[in-house]
């Protein structure tokens, strides 16, 4: 049963309905959120969601499922390699 849960969590799906309801699977961690921006970590890399009146309706990190409502303006992925990689931040570039 443990193997099934592991393989299930390695998939990532995104369903956007009328730019007002966003359902995600494969979510590992929600980094931050407010009514205009939500940043999270998925099995496919980082994801930044921008919009208006964004609200996290359902969150289950055990299953990796998340439902967001509001007006979605953009979805931007960042590669898994660039997230938290050494030397990629502003301060690390300043102190080279």
């Amino acid at each position: 049963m443990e193997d099934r849960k592991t393989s299930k969590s390695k998939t990532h799906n995104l369903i956007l309905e009328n730019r007002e309801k966003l359902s995600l699977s494969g979510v590992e961690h929600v980094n931050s959120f407010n009514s205009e921006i939500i940043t999270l970590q998925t099995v496919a890399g980082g994801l930044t969601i921008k919009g208006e009146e964004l609200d996290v309706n359902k969150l289950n990190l055990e299953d990796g499922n998340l439902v967001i409502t509001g007006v979605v303006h953009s979805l931007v992925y960042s590669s898994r390699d660039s997230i938290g990689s050494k030397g990629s931040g502003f301060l690390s570039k300043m102190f080279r």
Side-chain angles (χ1 to χ4, degrees):
M1 187 183 296
E2 201 62 36
D3 292 336
R4 182 194 290 163
K5 189 172 183 179
T6 303
S7 65
K8 184 186 231 184
S9 67
K10 290 188 178 185
T11 62
H12 172 62
N13 292 302
L14 182 144
I15 300 170
L16 181 60
E17 301 172 29
N18 297 320
R19 293 181 66 177
E20 295 176 349
K21 181 180 178 185
L22 179 63
S23 302
L24 297 161
S25 65
V27 176
E28 294 178 333
H29 180 73
V30 176
N31 299 326
S32 66
F33 68 93
N34 61 41
S35 64
E36 295 177 349
I37 189 166
I38 300 172
T39 60
L40 50 99
Q41 184 66 41
T42 72
V43 295
L47 176 60
T48 301
I49 303 157
K50 293 183 181 179
E52 296 174 24
E53 299 178 16
L54 298 177
D55 186 35
V56 176
N57 283 0
K58 294 180 185 176
L59 173 62
N60 185 338
L61 291 178
E62 288 181 12
D63 293 337
N65 295 321
L66 173 67
V67 176
I68 298 168
T69 57
V71 180
V72 176
H73 293 303
S74 70
L75 301 162
V76 178
Y77 283 95
S78 56
S79 70
R80 190 173 255 305
D81 297 335
S82 68
I83 297 172
S85 64
K86 197 170 187 176
S88 64
F90 173 75
L91 289 176
S92 63
K93 289 178 183 176
M94 250 179 87
F95 294 110
R96 281 189 184 180

